[in-house]
């Protein structure tokens, strides 16, 4: 009997998945959405956004995979309880996030926004240079990506601290946990990076109240999700000088409307949700490993906890 794997996301990368599946798992009938073949044969589905009526459409679905690390785009109630949903955990997504955050943190630390502005005005004004070891960087979220970023920034010499829901331990990183330790964590975060999942607990966390707890003149890197940020509060904090600059990769909505004030704010750098990207080679390996684990009754990697929402 045929067993199908359906891929429903960016078609260009999908064709790379298709080639890798042909090489590594020729026994699976790999299908690129919308060409799903016999819906009854579909056992595995990898997607960025789920199709409507998932249960009725694929009655024999056994495993669901998110193409991305985040799963906030899913209505978790629409995925049957007996079908585990896996977050994307593969080396490439972490490596590319390390690159982006290193770029953002170094840009903020070395005053790139000021120098871009100066160049436009043909101005020549050296600003004080401090070594990275004197710059305290705080990372909200110490999971797959936050921990990889802490590791890379530590290598660059930054003094890193991180915050998570449960206590984590990473050598060379000051680890804080839970709401009780958030104020102390924020008080020592001169550059704050958001790498949290979007859940009911984290929506709107980057607001005026949080900005007020940062050292004056701190800067922000948001690579989590757009709805983590209350944009009006950031604009007010930038205007008051409480926050001195921001590098933003995610927005609500995406893209922001053409007249959104963030587009033209002189202290904001924006990118179009490209901080990291799942790499087909690592993704296919991870997905096939989980399919093999499922077949052998072994523990799956990266299963979303529906209670926690990530
Ligand atoms: P992850 O492995 O699930 O890690 C999430 C981290 O956040 C964990 O440390 C978790 O704490 C912490 N956390 C969750 N809820 C919390 C709360 N209420 N209070 C304090 N800490 C909390 O996720 P990941 O793979 O690192 O990905 C993180 C997020 O990055 C994704 O969900 C997505 O939104 C974003 N992302 C963005 C891009 C981009 O291109 N911009 C790319 C990929 C991912 P515990 O350790 O205690 O569980
Ligand atoms: C991208 O934003 C992801 O969640 O992987």
């Amino acid at each position: 009997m045929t067993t199908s794997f359906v891929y429903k996301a960016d078609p260009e990368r999908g064709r790379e998945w298709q080639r890798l599946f042909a090489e590594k798992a020729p026994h699976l009938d790999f299908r690129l959405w919308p060409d799903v073949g016999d819906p009854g044969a579909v056992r595995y589905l990898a997607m960025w956004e789920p199709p409507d009526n998932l249960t009725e459409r694929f009655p024999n679905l056994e495993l669901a995979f998110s193409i991305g690390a985040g799963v906030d785009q899913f209505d978790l109630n629409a995925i049957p309880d007996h079908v585990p949903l896996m977050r994307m955990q593969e080396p490439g997504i972490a490596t590319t996030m390390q690159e982006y955050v290193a770029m953002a943190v170094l840009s903020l630390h070395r005053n790139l926004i000021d120098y871009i502005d100066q160049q436009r005005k043909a101005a020549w004004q050296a600003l004080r240079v401090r070594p990275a070891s004197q710059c305290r960087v705080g990372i909200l979220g110490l999971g797959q990506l936050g921990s990889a970023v802490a590791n890379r920034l530590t290598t660059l010499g930054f003094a890193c601290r991180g915050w998570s829901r449960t206590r984590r331990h990473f050598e060379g990183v000051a680890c804080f946990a839970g709401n009780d330790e958030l104020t102390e964590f924020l008080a020592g975060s001169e550059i704050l990076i958001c790498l949290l999942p979007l859940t009911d607990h984290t929506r709107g966390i980057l607001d005026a109240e949080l900005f007020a707890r940062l050292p004056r003149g701190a800067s922000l890197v948001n690579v989590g999700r757009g709805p983590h940020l209350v944009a009006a509060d950031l604009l007010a904090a930038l205007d008051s000088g409480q926050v001195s600059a921001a590098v933003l990769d995610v927005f609500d909505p995406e893209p922001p409307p053409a007249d959104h004030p963030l587009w033209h704010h002189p202290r904001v750098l924006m990118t179009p949700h490209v901080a990291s990207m799942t790499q087909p080679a690592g993704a296919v390996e991870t997905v096939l490993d989980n399919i093999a684990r499922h077949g052998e009754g072994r523990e799956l990697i990266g299963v979303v906890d529906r209670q926690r929402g990530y």
Side-chain angles (χ1 to χ4, degrees):
M1 204 182 81
T2 310
T3 299
S4 304
F5 182 106
V6 170
Y7 172 100
K8 180 181 178 294
D10 166 58
E12 190 188 322
R13 280 185 281 160
R15 282 186 283 279
E16 278 188 61
W17 281 58
Q18 189 167 36
R19 186 181 52 72
L20 289 159
F21 263 74
E23 185 186 314
K24 294 176 188 295
H27 58 288
L28 290 175
D29 177 31
F30 185 91
R31 296 269 168 179
L32 270 174
W33 182 271
D35 173 24
V36 301
D38 171 13
V42 176
R43 299 277 195 277
Y44 313 115
L45 173 62
M47 59 207 146
W48 175 243
E49 282 180 335
D52 296 336
N53 306 322
L54 187 63
T55 315
E56 297 76 35
R57 195 185 285 266
F58 301 127
N60 297 318
L61 189 66
E62 292 178 19
L63 297 178
F65 298 92
S66 169
I67 290 289
V71 291
D72 49 284
Q73 69 276 31
F74 293 94
D75 171 2
L76 297 179
N77 295 319
I79 301 176
D81 285 344
H82 67 274
V83 177
L85 171 67
M86 262 76 64
R87 298 178 288 117
M88 184 51 69
Q89 296 194 309
E90 64 92 19
I93 202 169
T95 308
T96 49
M97 184 59 83
Q98 286 176 316
E99 290 170 2
Y100 182 96
V101 176
M103 171 191 76
V105 167
L106 285 168
S107 303
L108 293 164
H109 174 58
R110 296 306 302 263
N111 307 102
L112 191 65
I113 293 180
D114 300 280
Y115 291 125
I116 289 171
D117 183 47
Q118 287 193 28
Q119 183 178 346
R120 300 242 155 85
K121 297 173 180 154
W124 183 271
Q125 173 71 55
L127 298 169
R128 173 85 187 265
V129 173
R130 288 189 301 155
S133 58
Q134 289 177 21
C135 177
R136 294 170 299 165
V137 178
I139 304 159
L140 292 163
L142 277 178
Q144 168 189 216
L145 301 179
S147 60
V149 160
N151 188 21
R152 177 59 57 87
L153 293 178
T154 305
T155 310
L156 289 171
F158 289 97
C160 288
R161 50 178 51 209
W163 182 71
S164 50
R165 198 177 49 82
T166 57
R167 182 152 328 269
R168 303 272 148 178
H169 299 279
F170 298 104
E171 208 184 317
V173 180
C175 293
F176 297 79
N179 286 333
D180 291 349
E181 296 179 16
L182 182 58
T183 297
E184 190 187 347
F185 162 80
L186 292 170
S189 297
E190 292 165 288
I191 298 178
L192 182 71
I193 300 157
C194 178
L195 265 170
L196 290 165
L198 182 65
T199 67
D200 291 345
H201 291 108
T202 64
R203 184 177 299 274
I205 189 170
L206 303 174
D207 66 359
E209 206 246 314
L210 177 142
F211 297 141
R213 290 193 266 171
L214 294 170
R216 185 160 178 82
S219 45
L220 173 72
V221 179
N222 188 18
V223 279
R225 285 288 185 260
H228 282 132
L229 175 68
V230 180
D233 289 3
L234 174 63
L235 288 160
L238 286 165
D239 291 346
S240 75
Q242 175 59 19
V243 172
S244 62
V247 178
L248 306 176
D249 182 57
V250 285
F251 302 89
D252 182 25
E254 291 184 352
D259 61 351
H260 198 292
L262 283 174
W263 282 113
H264 302 290
H265 199 288
R267 305 296 304 169
V268 174
L269 291 178
M270 291 169 62
T271 50
H273 198 147
V274 290
S276 81
M277 222 173 253
T278 300
Q279 301 298 308
V284 167
E285 206 154 298
T286 308
V287 161
L288 290 178
D289 177 47
N290 260 336
I291 291 176
R293 287 168 173 269
H294 174 63
E296 293 157 13
R298 288 189 287 135
E299 191 187 351
L300 300 170
I301 309 269
V303 177
V304 172
D305 179 327
R306 297 180 195 210
Q307 293 301 112
R308 291 186 326 198
Y310 70 97

